[in-house]
Amino acid sequence: MGRRPDDVPQRLGVTGWTAREAAEHLDPPLTEDEVRALITIFQVPAIGQRTGGRGRPADEYAQDAILHAHAIVIAARHGHLASPYVTPG
């Protein structure tokens, strides 16, 4: 079961999500791989790391930055953003 957004820790007033948490909470949904691509394309900086016991710590990103990038991606998917590289067809 996914975590609710109010369960996510806050650091200096910034709520952070890992890529996995973002994939669980975004609506319309994106896969974890799509969230990682969104983070890379929009150059969302990590605000920290989350340790979960085993394995490598997961990077944590500002929730508002992920939500902003997500809104742009969804608008583009629905054709609400003009692109100089795509011609109407």
Side-chain angles (χ1 to χ4, degrees), residues 3-4 8 10-11 16-19 21-22 27-29 31 34-35 44 47 49 57 59 70 72 80 85 88:
R3 295 167 57 176
R4 294 187 332 263
V8 179
Q10 292 191 14
R11 289 180 183 81
W17 273 345
T18 64
E21 291 167 343
D27 185 32
T31 66
E34 289 173 320
V35 171
V44 177
I47 61 169
Q49 289 190 321
D59 285 336
H70 176 259
I72 293 169
H80 298 297
Y85 307 106

Side-chain angles (χ1 to χ4, degrees), residues 13-81:
V14 176
T15 301
W17 273 345
T18 64
R20 178 174 300 196
E21 291 167 343
E24 291 173 358
H25 296 296
L26 291 173
D27 185 32
L30 295 178
T31 66
E32 188 174 344
D33 286 340
E34 289 173 320
V35 171
R36 291 184 192 287
L38 176 145
I39 289 166
T40 300
I41 291 167
F42 288 91
Q43 300 178 2
V44 177
I47 61 169
Q49 289 190 321
R50 186 92 53 82
T51 56
R54 295 183 60 158
R56 189 174 133 190
D59 285 336
E60 188 175 31
Y61 305 92
Q63 180 182 355
D64 61 339
I66 291 177
L67 289 171
H68 182 76
H70 176 259
I72 293 169
V73 167
I74 297 306
R77 281 187 178 177
H78 291 130
H80 298 297
L81 296 177

